[in-house]
Structure formats: C-alpha cells, structure tokens
Amino acid sequence: MLVSIDALQVSIDGASILHGVRLSLKEGDIYGLLGPNGAGKSTTINTALGLIRATGGHIEIFGNDVSANGAPAGVRGKIGVLPEQGGFYDWMTATDYLGFFAALYGLAPSREDIHQRLLRVGLDTQDNQIIGTFSRGMKQRLGLARALIPDPLLLILDEPTNGLDPRGRREVHEILSDLAHEGVGVLLCTHLLDDVERLCTKIGIIDDGRTVAEGTVDDLLRGSSQRDRFSLRLASTPPDLPPSISDQDFSVISHDNKWWHIGINAGIRPETVWPELFAQGWDITEIHRESRGLENLYLALTEGGIS
C-alpha cells in the first residue's frame, strides 16, 4: 500500500478541520479525492506530506508511519507533487526551472533528461521559453513535468487540468493513465467529475472534514439509487425489450409522447447501450443527458440530498 490514512484528525488554532478522514491508495491506482471547497481535501494532502501535523489518527506512506513526525527524506524523495498554487518563477526558462527543482531533490539531470520531461507533457518546443510568457495551461503542464522530476512512486496532484483546453485535458489523462500502468499511484484532487469518471479506479468523498464515501465509482453507484439518466426522442413507439436487457444495462424511468427517460446501471457505458436499442427496433432521433450518476451521488452526499 502506498498511502493508508485512517481516522485522521487535524485541529488548527483550536478549530477541528479534519475529524475522520480515511484513504487507501495502492500501486497503479488513480484515486480521486472529491469534496466541496473547504471540505478538507488540501488539508488532508498537506498533512500526509507532513506540512501540517495530525492531532489524531494514522498516516502511513510506503509502509512508514508518518503520523507524528512527517515523512523522512527517503520517503519524500519518492513523491511528486503539483500543488494548487503552482510556485512558478516567471524569469526562468522551462529548462532552468526543472533543473532548479531537480537540485532540490539532490538530482542533476542532463539537458536531455529535462527535455524528455518536457516532451512528455507537450512542452518540448518551449524548453528555452521564459515562463512569464506561458499561458495558464502551459504552466499546468510545466508543473506536471516538475512533479515527474524524481520518477515518483506516488504522484499527488491538486487540480492538474485547470486551465487546459479539451485536447490538453485528454493529453494529461493519457499521461496519468500511462503512469498508473507503470505502477505509479496517483492521488488526484479535483472538482471535475469528468476527470474522475474517465481516470479514477477509486474515489473518496470528503464533506465537512470527514470521509463520507470511499470505493470504486461502480461500487458506490451500485449501493445508491443514483444512475446516469438520459432522455431519448423516438420517431415511433418502441417495441418491448427482453427483460434481460433492461435488467442488466438500463431501465425505463418514464415516457411522455415521443420522449423516453432511461437510467443506465452502474458499470455500463452509455455508448454500449445505444446499439442494443437500435438493434431492438428503437428509432432514436435524439439523445440528451439529464444527469450523471456520480454527480447525483456527490451532491446527495455533500448537500443533503437531491431528488
């Protein structure tokens, strides 16, 4: 297990910030840490990194108990971090910037090594460009390259796709997926549920300083009434479906004239359902998403529930 957190408590100036956070992350996992602003996500990360002292509970990283004294140097050297506040120096070039941070890890990479880091995040043609001229999305990419400097076993990323266009987000998704396949554990703190659904093998939802749910997306959705919901416009009344199809993949919630409202079961990708329906004689002319199951679950757990 790369990271194990149990019953974590943190108090600052007498105020209880965390009071029951749990988290477990193993090699090759991409773990999505979710929660409203102020729920305690960043405090959890900072406590795990030893920047804030825990007042209760247990934190273990790479098998080392870091609850009391934070992570030793040997542990910190295996962790790559992209904080929410990037810490960029506008007068540096991208190459000099990565060289500077490598030195903080006690490393002395060659210019070619640094170039390969920049290549991986799509900044290889900007290696000698001044950071002050970078867009927000380019700085996010540079921050990811910085986090990869030590060839980490654990990567902790706070909102890594902020400021990226759709193509840039997809490229970051591919990088993180590749890293996970190489055995790197990724702790991803984000507000973008689309990132979570595309990437994460496991999620934890924090609300008011406490973990209110943890598990795979499919398992959490199976244990709730929340599903992806779609509205389908049909040119004609559809034939009856074999019960086995609707039981396994989706069910009809309601219908009104030519509009049919369906819920897709947890673990079923919507794009696999439409061919089934066409094959069964459903003459679909329009498809609209009404809501996401994960979004509904998140809101139900952090805002007192929704209909």
Side-chain angles (χ1 to χ4, degrees), residues 268-289:
I268 303 299
R269 298 182 67 84
E271 57 266 30
T272 67
V273 172
W274 314 139
E276 290 185 26
L277 291 176
F278 281 118
Q280 292 298 322
W282 283 48
D283 191 3
I284 302 172
T285 60
E286 294 181 44
I287 300 174
H288 299 276
R289 184 188 290 273

Side-chain angles (χ1 to χ4, degrees), residues 36-259:
N37 290 331
K41 303 186 299 299
S42 294
T43 301
T44 298
I45 289 173
N46 289 336
T47 305
L49 291 171
L51 302 176
I52 297 174
R53 186 176 296 276
T55 53
H58 182 77
I59 307 173
E60 196 171 280
I61 300 181
F62 308 145
N64 297 270
D65 186 343
V66 300
S67 307
N69 300 313
V75 170
R76 294 197 303 272
K78 300 175 185 177
I79 302 174
V81 181
L82 173 60
E84 186 175 10
Q85 302 298 325
F88 298 104
Y89 305 121
D90 286 349
W91 62 90
M92 286 184 171
T93 66
T95 296
D96 290 342
Y97 180 77
L98 294 188
F100 171 76
F101 274 91
L104 297 180
Y105 278 100
L107 303 174
S110 67
R111 291 187 69 87
E112 179 57 27
D113 289 335
I114 291 175
H115 180 77
Q116 290 302 314
R117 295 295 193 281
L118 293 170
L119 176 64
R120 188 160 199 177
V121 300
L123 289 177
D124 51 302
T125 60
Q126 286 85 26
D127 49 0
N128 291 314
Q129 186 172 333
I130 299 297
I131 294 172
T133 65
F134 279 19
S135 68
R136 183 179 180 186
M138 292 169 67
K139 288 182 177 179
Q140 284 295 101
R141 292 170 181 267
L142 182 60
L144 180 57
R146 183 188 72 204
L148 295 175
I149 281 288
D151 292 323
L153 299 178
L154 172 64
L155 197 56
I156 300 178
L157 308 174
D158 200 346
E159 304 290 352
T161 58
N162 268 2
L164 297 179
D165 60 22
R167 183 180 297 278
R169 285 181 60 207
R170 175 166 291 188
E171 290 171 353
V172 170
H173 291 173
E174 291 172 354
I175 292 169
L176 297 183
S177 294
D178 289 345
L179 289 166
H181 288 145
E182 294 166 12
V184 177
V186 181
L187 179 56
L188 178 67
C189 183
T190 182
H191 288 92
L192 299 175
L193 297 184
D194 182 60
D195 284 3
V196 173
E197 290 180 311
R198 288 175 179 270
L199 287 172
C200 294
T201 52
K202 191 174 183 181
I203 67 171
I205 300 176
I206 297 178
D207 187 42
D208 192 28
R210 185 187 306 275
T211 298
V212 294
E214 187 183 37
T216 67
V217 173
D218 288 349
D219 286 346
L220 292 177
L221 291 178
R222 285 193 188 99
S224 76
S225 60
Q226 313 299 341
R227 295 182 293 172
D228 284 5
R229 296 188 181 188
F230 291 84
S231 297
L232 310 181
R233 182 178 176 88
L234 276 63
S236 59
T237 301
D240 291 336
L241 289 169
S244 59
I245 291 181
S246 58
D247 286 347
Q248 292 175 7
D249 297 346
F250 70 94
S251 59
V252 175
I253 298 170
S254 64
H255 63 89
D256 178 20
N257 295 325
K258 294 183 178 182
W259 286 99

Side-chain angles (χ1 to χ4, degrees), residues 20-38:
V21 171
R22 66 182 185 276
L23 187 158
S24 59
L25 168 64
K26 66 180 187 300
E27 294 86 348
D29 270 349
I30 302 180
Y31 188 112
L33 187 60
L34 307 174
N37 290 331

